[in-house]
Amino acid sequence: MASLQLRRESELEQETPKSPEAKLGMKVEDLWGIQEPKLTPTEKLNACFESIPVSSFPLAPQGVEIRSDASLAEAVHILSQNKILSVPVVNVNAPEDATWIDRYIGIVEFAGIAVWILQQSEPPSPRCTSLFPSGTAVAVSINGMTSAAGLGTLGPEDASMTSGDFFESLTSSEFYKNTKVRDISGTFRWAPFLALQKSNSFLTMMLLLSKYKMKSVPVVDLGDGKIDNIITQSAVIHMLAECTGFHWFECWGNKKLSEIGLPTMSPKQIIKVHGDEPVLQAFKLMRKNRIGGIPVVDSGGRKAIGNISLRDVQFLLTAPEIYRDYRSITAKNFLIAVKNYLEKHDKGSPMLSGTITCKRDKTIKELIKTLDSQDIHRMYVVDDDGNLEGVITLRDIISRLVHEPRGYFGDFFDGVLPLPQNSRV
């Protein structure tokens, strides 16, 4: 009798979700079972996610913020050390009782820092000259740094054939040291940022992360005027990976990529950079096309030999010495230098796994589990010969899980402040 009781308790324990994300999946499972039978699976999921508030989402590690008067170097260090893509910027001049919209000036992210670097690699514009007349401290600093790094000869379209010591010149310059986070506010996407309240739904959050191309969504506490949680695309993918076994997930997850229309692009539409092109060309293409990563391809242009993402800009700023011996930092040189650096300093980095690919017959569940376990943000789809056929991002996956009902957001975006006037994103 005692052994039977122990077996029942063991079975019950196995059925009980162990992670917060799995418990969330169980909540969706319960809601799934009471939906109208006539609804399609997608309509059922929409209804389930609309019934769950974002306050139910597991909390991300808290307390990571940065002051607006912190240096850009400090911001890069915080992002790199915490292995995050973005961090809220607190306005040091805001009063203690400020609302969240006054407390923060925005979110600094690797994407914005990459834009800032590209600005330094381009010749000063007439607008810059008018803002900072010759002889002013800022103008002298800019001209001194660009001259020392050889930037005066660079054109905006040739992707700057920078020498290996360019980033050492940049990061050791007074211009870089004196640049504050608030000084690059023109690279912020929102002013300060688009946020959700705790009562907003999962569906709202997932639509913002997919259709509206947000990498992360802050959830604010209106009571204390602070950020309560930050939900990222990666966090949603991790939640889905923890939901394997639930009926609602298996119905969708066991479909092949081709069955749900992934990848969404043709081989000709893939944005890519060749291995012998300057690494800044990769960041230029990401900036121009507003994408978070790009494949590095071989001389034939059809096979991926690596991947460069926006967050990799950290290696240009935190370890510039690894490029010292390169006459020009090509995309291939960048991949080699970063790999050698990580083998010494971070052997657990996903960048050491090489280029991870899949074929169209892979299931969405298999894809999610690989993305989550490898901590990567995109998967390259290849044919039987290893030639690139497409790219699947975290956003693509989330967008296949939910859809936006007609008129869903209403006036939701009316209160969102536009991009700053000096934005170049």
PDB file of all heavy atoms in Angstrom, residues 378-408:
ATOM      1  N   ARG A 378      18.906  33.159 -34.461  1.00  0.00           N
ATOM      2  CA  ARG A 378      18.463  32.884 -35.834  1.00  0.00           C
ATOM      3  C   ARG A 378      19.035  31.541 -36.285  1.00  0.00           C
ATOM      4  O   ARG A 378      20.069  31.095 -35.783  1.00  0.00           O
ATOM      5  CB  ARG A 378      18.883  33.993 -36.800  1.00  0.00           C
ATOM      6  CG  ARG A 378      20.376  34.203 -36.918  1.00  0.00           C
ATOM      7  CD  ARG A 378      20.714  35.494 -37.607  1.00  0.00           C
ATOM      8  NE  ARG A 378      20.006  36.617 -37.014  1.00  0.00           N
ATOM      9  CZ  ARG A 378      20.380  37.210 -35.875  1.00  0.00           C
ATOM     10  NH1 ARG A 378      21.428  36.769 -35.209  1.00  0.00           N
ATOM     11  NH2 ARG A 378      19.688  38.206 -35.391  1.00  0.00           N
ATOM     12  N   MET A 379      18.326  30.932 -37.218  1.00  0.00           N
ATOM     13  CA  MET A 379      18.764  29.661 -37.776  1.00  0.00           C
ATOM     14  C   MET A 379      18.791  29.791 -39.290  1.00  0.00           C
ATOM     15  O   MET A 379      17.840  30.311 -39.895  1.00  0.00           O
ATOM     16  CB  MET A 379      17.806  28.540 -37.373  1.00  0.00           C
ATOM     17  CG  MET A 379      18.175  27.175 -37.921  1.00  0.00           C
ATOM     18  SD  MET A 379      19.501  26.370 -36.997  1.00  0.00           S
ATOM     19  CE  MET A 379      18.602  25.845 -35.532  1.00  0.00           C
ATOM     20  N   TYR A 380      19.870  29.332 -39.904  1.00  0.00           N
ATOM     21  CA  TYR A 380      19.981  29.376 -41.349  1.00  0.00           C
ATOM     22  C   TYR A 380      19.478  28.061 -41.941  1.00  0.00           C
ATOM     23  O   TYR A 380      19.902  26.978 -41.517  1.00  0.00           O
ATOM     24  CB  TYR A 380      21.420  29.656 -41.769  1.00  0.00           C
ATOM     25  CG  TYR A 380      21.871  31.035 -41.347  1.00  0.00           C
ATOM     26  CD1 TYR A 380      22.825  31.212 -40.354  1.00  0.00           C
ATOM     27  CD2 TYR A 380      21.289  32.165 -41.923  1.00  0.00           C
ATOM     28  CE1 TYR A 380      23.207  32.485 -39.945  1.00  0.00           C
ATOM     29  CE2 TYR A 380      21.663  33.441 -41.524  1.00  0.00           C
ATOM     30  CZ  TYR A 380      22.630  33.594 -40.539  1.00  0.00           C
ATOM     31  OH  TYR A 380      22.982  34.858 -40.134  1.00  0.00           O
ATOM     32  N   VAL A 381      18.578  28.182 -42.898  1.00  0.00           N
ATOM     33  CA  VAL A 381      18.006  27.013 -43.560  1.00  0.00           C
ATOM     34  C   VAL A 381      18.831  26.725 -44.816  1.00  0.00           C
ATOM     35  O   VAL A 381      19.106  27.638 -45.608  1.00  0.00           O
ATOM     36  CB  VAL A 381      16.532  27.260 -43.936  1.00  0.00           C
ATOM     37  CG1 VAL A 381      15.939  26.012 -44.588  1.00  0.00           C
ATOM     38  CG2 VAL A 381      15.722  27.642 -42.696  1.00  0.00           C
ATOM     39  N   VAL A 382      19.227  25.468 -44.987  1.00  0.00           N
ATOM     40  CA  VAL A 382      20.067  25.092 -46.130  1.00  0.00           C
ATOM     41  C   VAL A 382      19.440  23.919 -46.889  1.00  0.00           C
ATOM     42  O   VAL A 382      18.581  23.202 -46.361  1.00  0.00           O
ATOM     43  CB  VAL A 382      21.493  24.704 -45.665  1.00  0.00           C
ATOM     44  CG1 VAL A 382      22.181  25.877 -45.000  1.00  0.00           C
ATOM     45  CG2 VAL A 382      21.444  23.497 -44.717  1.00  0.00           C
ATOM     46  N   ASP A 383      19.903  23.737 -48.133  1.00  0.00           N
ATOM     47  CA  ASP A 383      19.452  22.586 -48.909  1.00  0.00           C
ATOM     48  C   ASP A 383      20.390  21.408 -48.658  1.00  0.00           C
ATOM     49  O   ASP A 383      21.277  21.466 -47.796  1.00  0.00           O
ATOM     50  CB  ASP A 383      19.372  22.945 -50.405  1.00  0.00           C
ATOM     51  CG  ASP A 383      20.724  23.359 -50.995  1.00  0.00           C
ATOM     52  OD1 ASP A 383      21.772  23.056 -50.378  1.00  0.00           O
ATOM     53  OD2 ASP A 383      20.730  23.973 -52.078  1.00  0.00           O
ATOM     54  N   ASP A 384      20.214  20.346 -49.426  1.00  0.00           N
ATOM     55  CA  ASP A 384      21.015  19.135 -49.210  1.00  0.00           C
ATOM     56  C   ASP A 384      22.496  19.353 -49.465  1.00  0.00           C
ATOM     57  O   ASP A 384      23.346  18.599 -48.978  1.00  0.00           O
ATOM     58  CB  ASP A 384      20.502  18.004 -50.108  1.00  0.00           C
ATOM     59  CG  ASP A 384      19.134  17.511 -49.677  1.00  0.00           C
ATOM     60  OD1 ASP A 384      18.789  17.701 -48.498  1.00  0.00           O
ATOM     61  OD2 ASP A 384      18.405  16.949 -50.526  1.00  0.00           O
ATOM     62  N   ASP A 385      22.832  20.387 -50.237  1.00  0.00           N
ATOM     63  CA  ASP A 385      24.233  20.688 -50.543  1.00  0.00           C
ATOM     64  C   ASP A 385      24.824  21.740 -49.605  1.00  0.00           C
ATOM     65  O   ASP A 385      25.977  22.158 -49.783  1.00  0.00           O
ATOM     66  CB  ASP A 385      24.361  21.167 -51.990  1.00  0.00           C
ATOM     67  CG  ASP A 385      23.989  20.089 -52.995  1.00  0.00           C
ATOM     68  OD1 ASP A 385      24.322  18.912 -52.741  1.00  0.00           O
ATOM     69  OD2 ASP A 385      23.339  20.415 -54.011  1.00  0.00           O
ATOM     70  N   GLY A 386      24.051  22.169 -48.636  1.00  0.00           N
ATOM     71  CA  GLY A 386      24.543  23.164 -47.686  1.00  0.00           C
ATOM     72  C   GLY A 386      24.425  24.598 -48.158  1.00  0.00           C
ATOM     73  O   GLY A 386      24.953  25.511 -47.511  1.00  0.00           O
ATOM     74  N   ASN A 387      23.720  24.817 -49.259  1.00  0.00           N
ATOM     75  CA  ASN A 387      23.532  26.177 -49.757  1.00  0.00           C
ATOM     76  C   ASN A 387      22.402  26.872 -49.006  1.00  0.00           C
ATOM     77  O   ASN A 387      21.388  26.253 -48.671  1.00  0.00           O
ATOM     78  CB  ASN A 387      23.204  26.150 -51.255  1.00  0.00           C
ATOM     79  CG  ASN A 387      24.330  25.581 -52.084  1.00  0.00           C
ATOM     80  OD1 ASN A 387      25.496  25.898 -51.867  1.00  0.00           O
ATOM     81  ND2 ASN A 387      23.994  24.716 -53.046  1.00  0.00           N
ATOM     82  N   LEU A 388      22.578  28.166 -48.742  1.00  0.00           N
ATOM     83  CA  LEU A 388      21.581  28.928 -48.002  1.00  0.00           C
ATOM     84  C   LEU A 388      20.251  28.999 -48.750  1.00  0.00           C
ATOM     85  O   LEU A 388      20.210  29.304 -49.942  1.00  0.00           O
ATOM     86  CB  LEU A 388      22.092  30.353 -47.750  1.00  0.00           C
ATOM     87  CG  LEU A 388      23.115  30.538 -46.629  1.00  0.00           C
ATOM     88  CD1 LEU A 388      23.646  31.970 -46.644  1.00  0.00           C
ATOM     89  CD2 LEU A 388      22.480  30.234 -45.274  1.00  0.00           C
ATOM     90  N   GLU A 389      19.176  28.722 -48.012  1.00  0.00           N
ATOM     91  CA  GLU A 389      17.839  28.832 -48.585  1.00  0.00           C
ATOM     92  C   GLU A 389      16.999  29.879 -47.882  1.00  0.00           C
ATOM     93  O   GLU A 389      15.995  30.341 -48.411  1.00  0.00           O
ATOM     94  CB  GLU A 389      17.120  27.479 -48.527  1.00  0.00           C
ATOM     95  CG  GLU A 389      17.620  26.465 -49.540  1.00  0.00           C
ATOM     96  CD  GLU A 389      16.610  25.376 -49.800  1.00  0.00           C
ATOM     97  OE1 GLU A 389      15.911  24.978 -48.847  1.00  0.00           O
ATOM     98  OE2 GLU A 389      16.506  24.919 -50.955  1.00  0.00           O
ATOM     99  N   GLY A 390      17.391  30.244 -46.669  1.00  0.00           N
ATOM    100  CA  GLY A 390      16.609  31.218 -45.925  1.00  0.00           C
ATOM    101  C   GLY A 390      17.116  31.378 -44.505  1.00  0.00           C
ATOM    102  O   GLY A 390      18.052  30.701 -44.073  1.00  0.00           O
ATOM    103  N   VAL A 391      16.484  32.293 -43.789  1.00  0.00           N
ATOM    104  CA  VAL A 391      16.831  32.575 -42.396  1.00  0.00           C
ATOM    105  C   VAL A 391      15.542  32.583 -41.576  1.00  0.00           C
ATOM    106  O   VAL A 391      14.518  33.121 -42.022  1.00  0.00           O
ATOM    107  CB  VAL A 391      17.524  33.946 -42.249  1.00  0.00           C
ATOM    108  CG1 VAL A 391      17.958  34.172 -40.799  1.00  0.00           C
ATOM    109  CG2 VAL A 391      18.712  34.052 -43.190  1.00  0.00           C
ATOM    110  N   ILE A 392      15.601  31.977 -40.404  1.00  0.00           N
ATOM    111  CA  ILE A 392      14.449  32.004 -39.488  1.00  0.00           C
ATOM    112  C   ILE A 392      14.893  32.650 -38.186  1.00  0.00           C
ATOM    113  O   ILE A 392      15.861  32.216 -37.565  1.00  0.00           O
ATOM    114  CB  ILE A 392      13.912  30.588 -39.220  1.00  0.00           C
ATOM    115  CG1 ILE A 392      13.463  29.927 -40.519  1.00  0.00           C
ATOM    116  CG2 ILE A 392      12.742  30.643 -38.230  1.00  0.00           C
ATOM    117  CD1 ILE A 392      13.011  28.483 -40.357  1.00  0.00           C
ATOM    118  N   THR A 393      14.206  33.700 -37.782  1.00  0.00           N
ATOM    119  CA  THR A 393      14.534  34.418 -36.556  1.00  0.00           C
ATOM    120  C   THR A 393      13.536  34.096 -35.452  1.00  0.00           C
ATOM    121  O   THR A 393      12.483  33.488 -35.702  1.00  0.00           O
ATOM    122  CB  THR A 393      14.529  35.938 -36.806  1.00  0.00           C
ATOM    123  OG1 THR A 393      13.194  36.353 -37.132  1.00  0.00           O
ATOM    124  CG2 THR A 393      15.466  36.306 -37.950  1.00  0.00           C
ATOM    125  N   LEU A 394      13.842  34.531 -34.243  1.00  0.00           N
ATOM    126  CA  LEU A 394      12.916  34.348 -33.125  1.00  0.00           C
ATOM    127  C   LEU A 394      11.586  35.031 -33.431  1.00  0.00           C
ATOM    128  O   LEU A 394      10.508  34.519 -33.102  1.00  0.00           O
ATOM    129  CB  LEU A 394      13.519  34.924 -31.843  1.00  0.00           C
ATOM    130  CG  LEU A 394      14.910  34.429 -31.430  1.00  0.00           C
ATOM    131  CD1 LEU A 394      15.288  34.988 -30.064  1.00  0.00           C
ATOM    132  CD2 LEU A 394      14.975  32.909 -31.416  1.00  0.00           C
ATOM    133  N   ARG A 395      11.683  36.201 -34.040  1.00  0.00           N
ATOM    134  CA  ARG A 395      10.472  36.951 -34.381  1.00  0.00           C
ATOM    135  C   ARG A 395       9.593  36.178 -35.358  1.00  0.00           C
ATOM    136  O   ARG A 395       8.364  36.177 -35.241  1.00  0.00           O
ATOM    137  CB  ARG A 395      10.851  38.310 -34.982  1.00  0.00           C
ATOM    138  CG  ARG A 395       9.674  39.195 -35.317  1.00  0.00           C
ATOM    139  CD  ARG A 395      10.140  40.564 -35.779  1.00  0.00           C
ATOM    140  NE  ARG A 395      10.714  40.515 -37.117  1.00  0.00           N
ATOM    141  CZ  ARG A 395       9.998  40.602 -38.240  1.00  0.00           C
ATOM    142  NH1 ARG A 395       8.676  40.706 -38.174  1.00  0.00           N
ATOM    143  NH2 ARG A 395      10.573  40.576 -39.413  1.00  0.00           N
ATOM    144  N   ASP A 396      10.216  35.498 -36.327  1.00  0.00           N
ATOM    145  CA  ASP A 396       9.453  34.705 -37.290  1.00  0.00           C
ATOM    146  C   ASP A 396       8.640  33.625 -36.586  1.00  0.00           C
ATOM    147  O   ASP A 396       7.484  33.367 -36.939  1.00  0.00           O
ATOM    148  CB  ASP A 396      10.402  34.044 -38.303  1.00  0.00           C
ATOM    149  CG  ASP A 396      11.092  35.046 -39.205  1.00  0.00           C
ATOM    150  OD1 ASP A 396      10.515  36.121 -39.448  1.00  0.00           O
ATOM    151  OD2 ASP A 396      12.224  34.754 -39.650  1.00  0.00           O
ATOM    152  N   ILE A 397       9.261  32.990 -35.586  1.00  0.00           N
ATOM    153  CA  ILE A 397       8.583  31.901 -34.878  1.00  0.00           C
ATOM    154  C   ILE A 397       7.390  32.427 -34.084  1.00  0.00           C
ATOM    155  O   ILE A 397       6.288  31.877 -34.151  1.00  0.00           O
ATOM    156  CB  ILE A 397       9.576  31.183 -33.938  1.00  0.00           C
ATOM    157  CG1 ILE A 397      10.665  30.494 -34.764  1.00  0.00           C
ATOM    158  CG2 ILE A 397       8.854  30.168 -33.051  1.00  0.00           C
ATOM    159  CD1 ILE A 397      11.791  29.925 -33.937  1.00  0.00           C
ATOM    160  N   ILE A 398       7.598  33.506 -33.347  1.00  0.00           N
ATOM    161  CA  ILE A 398       6.510  34.066 -32.538  1.00  0.00           C
ATOM    162  C   ILE A 398       5.365  34.538 -33.437  1.00  0.00           C
ATOM    163  O   ILE A 398       4.190  34.390 -33.096  1.00  0.00           O
ATOM    164  CB  ILE A 398       7.034  35.225 -31.668  1.00  0.00           C
ATOM    165  CG1 ILE A 398       8.125  34.727 -30.716  1.00  0.00           C
ATOM    166  CG2 ILE A 398       5.888  35.848 -30.854  1.00  0.00           C
ATOM    167  CD1 ILE A 398       8.838  35.830 -29.951  1.00  0.00           C
ATOM    168  N   SER A 399       5.721  35.096 -34.599  1.00  0.00           N
ATOM    169  CA  SER A 399       4.686  35.604 -35.503  1.00  0.00           C
ATOM    170  C   SER A 399       3.827  34.481 -36.070  1.00  0.00           C
ATOM    171  O   SER A 399       2.705  34.725 -36.530  1.00  0.00           O
ATOM    172  CB  SER A 399       5.327  36.393 -36.654  1.00  0.00           C
ATOM    173  OG  SER A 399       6.065  35.540 -37.509  1.00  0.00           O
ATOM    174  N   ARG A 400       4.345  33.238 -36.073  1.00  0.00           N
ATOM    175  CA  ARG A 400       3.556  32.104 -36.566  1.00  0.00           C
ATOM    176  C   ARG A 400       2.662  31.515 -35.470  1.00  0.00           C
ATOM    177  O   ARG A 400       1.836  30.645 -35.744  1.00  0.00           O
ATOM    178  CB  ARG A 400       4.492  31.019 -37.106  1.00  0.00           C
ATOM    179  CG  ARG A 400       5.150  31.369 -38.435  1.00  0.00           C
ATOM    180  CD  ARG A 400       4.071  31.565 -39.506  1.00  0.00           C
ATOM    181  NE  ARG A 400       4.625  31.796 -40.835  1.00  0.00           N
ATOM    182  CZ  ARG A 400       4.946  32.994 -41.324  1.00  0.00           C
ATOM    183  NH1 ARG A 400       4.773  34.070 -40.570  1.00  0.00           N
ATOM    184  NH2 ARG A 400       5.405  33.126 -42.556  1.00  0.00           N
ATOM    185  N   LEU A 401       2.852  31.995 -34.256  1.00  0.00           N
ATOM    186  CA  LEU A 401       2.078  31.465 -33.128  1.00  0.00           C
ATOM    187  C   LEU A 401       0.803  32.262 -32.884  1.00  0.00           C
ATOM    188  O   LEU A 401      -0.213  31.718 -32.442  1.00  0.00           O
ATOM    189  CB  LEU A 401       2.948  31.469 -31.865  1.00  0.00           C
ATOM    190  CG  LEU A 401       2.412  30.770 -30.618  1.00  0.00           C
ATOM    191  CD1 LEU A 401       2.225  29.285 -30.876  1.00  0.00           C
ATOM    192  CD2 LEU A 401       3.370  30.980 -29.451  1.00  0.00           C
ATOM    193  N   VAL A 402       0.831  33.558 -33.169  1.00  0.00           N
ATOM    194  CA  VAL A 402      -0.322  34.430 -32.909  1.00  0.00           C
ATOM    195  C   VAL A 402      -0.598  35.300 -34.135  1.00  0.00           C
ATOM    196  O   VAL A 402       0.244  35.426 -35.030  1.00  0.00           O
ATOM    197  CB  VAL A 402      -0.064  35.353 -31.688  1.00  0.00           C
ATOM    198  CG1 VAL A 402       0.039  34.535 -30.412  1.00  0.00           C
ATOM    199  CG2 VAL A 402       1.196  36.197 -31.893  1.00  0.00           C
ATOM    200  N   HIS A 403      -1.778  35.910 -34.178  1.00  0.00           N
ATOM    201  CA  HIS A 403      -2.090  36.868 -35.233  1.00  0.00           C
ATOM    202  C   HIS A 403      -2.832  38.042 -34.616  1.00  0.00           C
ATOM    203  O   HIS A 403      -3.431  37.931 -33.534  1.00  0.00           O
ATOM    204  CB  HIS A 403      -2.928  36.220 -36.337  1.00  0.00           C
ATOM    205  CG  HIS A 403      -4.358  35.963 -35.938  1.00  0.00           C
ATOM    206  ND1 HIS A 403      -4.757  34.832 -35.256  1.00  0.00           N
ATOM    207  CD2 HIS A 403      -5.478  36.707 -36.120  1.00  0.00           C
ATOM    208  CE1 HIS A 403      -6.054  34.867 -35.035  1.00  0.00           C
ATOM    209  NE2 HIS A 403      -6.525  35.998 -35.551  1.00  0.00           N
ATOM    210  N   GLU A 404      -2.760  39.184 -35.281  1.00  0.00           N
ATOM    211  CA  GLU A 404      -3.398  40.395 -34.763  1.00  0.00           C
ATOM    212  C   GLU A 404      -4.834  40.504 -35.271  1.00  0.00           C
ATOM    213  O   GLU A 404      -5.065  40.635 -36.481  1.00  0.00           O
ATOM    214  CB  GLU A 404      -2.621  41.638 -35.189  1.00  0.00           C
ATOM    215  CG  GLU A 404      -3.235  42.923 -34.674  1.00  0.00           C
ATOM    216  CD  GLU A 404      -2.476  44.165 -35.109  1.00  0.00           C
ATOM    217  OE1 GLU A 404      -1.391  44.021 -35.729  1.00  0.00           O
ATOM    218  OE2 GLU A 404      -2.972  45.278 -34.854  1.00  0.00           O
ATOM    219  N   PRO A 405      -5.823  40.458 -34.367  1.00  0.00           N
ATOM    220  CA  PRO A 405      -7.218  40.638 -34.785  1.00  0.00           C
ATOM    221  C   PRO A 405      -7.424  42.046 -35.333  1.00  0.00           C
ATOM    222  O   PRO A 405      -6.715  42.985 -34.956  1.00  0.00           O
ATOM    223  CB  PRO A 405      -8.012  40.429 -33.485  1.00  0.00           C
ATOM    224  CG  PRO A 405      -7.077  39.667 -32.581  1.00  0.00           C
ATOM    225  CD  PRO A 405      -5.713  40.159 -32.939  1.00  0.00           C
ATOM    226  N   ARG A 406      -8.388  42.196 -36.200  1.00  0.00           N
ATOM    227  CA  ARG A 406      -8.671  43.494 -36.799  1.00  0.00           C
ATOM    228  C   ARG A 406      -8.998  44.532 -35.709  1.00  0.00           C
ATOM    229  O   ARG A 406      -9.817  44.285 -34.828  1.00  0.00           O
ATOM    230  CB  ARG A 406      -9.855  43.381 -37.762  1.00  0.00           C
ATOM    231  CG  ARG A 406     -10.195  44.685 -38.498  1.00  0.00           C
ATOM    232  CD  ARG A 406     -11.435  44.520 -39.348  1.00  0.00           C
ATOM    233  NE  ARG A 406     -11.226  43.526 -40.388  1.00  0.00           N
ATOM    234  CZ  ARG A 406     -10.697  43.799 -41.579  1.00  0.00           C
ATOM    235  NH1 ARG A 406     -10.315  45.041 -41.858  1.00  0.00           N
ATOM    236  NH2 ARG A 406     -10.553  42.844 -42.480  1.00  0.00           N
ATOM    237  N   GLY A 407      -8.301  45.672 -35.786  1.00  0.00           N
ATOM    238  CA  GLY A 407      -8.550  46.751 -34.831  1.00  0.00           C
ATOM    239  C   GLY A 407      -8.097  46.457 -33.414  1.00  0.00           C
ATOM    240  O   GLY A 407      -8.526  47.137 -32.468  1.00  0.00           O
ATOM    241  N   TYR A 408      -7.225  45.473 -33.243  1.00  0.00           N
ATOM    242  CA  TYR A 408      -6.853  45.021 -31.896  1.00  0.00           C
ATOM    243  C   TYR A 408      -6.214  46.122 -31.056  1.00  0.00           C
ATOM    244  O   TYR A 408      -6.566  46.313 -29.888  1.00  0.00           O
ATOM    245  CB  TYR A 408      -5.893  43.829 -32.001  1.00  0.00           C
ATOM    246  CG  TYR A 408      -5.408  43.311 -30.672  1.00  0.00           C
ATOM    247  CD1 TYR A 408      -6.219  42.518 -29.872  1.00  0.00           C
ATOM    248  CD2 TYR A 408      -4.135  43.623 -30.200  1.00  0.00           C
ATOM    249  CE1 TYR A 408      -5.782  42.048 -28.646  1.00  0.00           C
ATOM    250  CE2 TYR A 408      -3.677  43.153 -28.984  1.00  0.00           C
ATOM    251  CZ  TYR A 408      -4.505  42.370 -28.202  1.00  0.00           C
ATOM    252  OH  TYR A 408      -4.067  41.914 -26.983  1.00  0.00           O
TER     253      TYR A 408
END
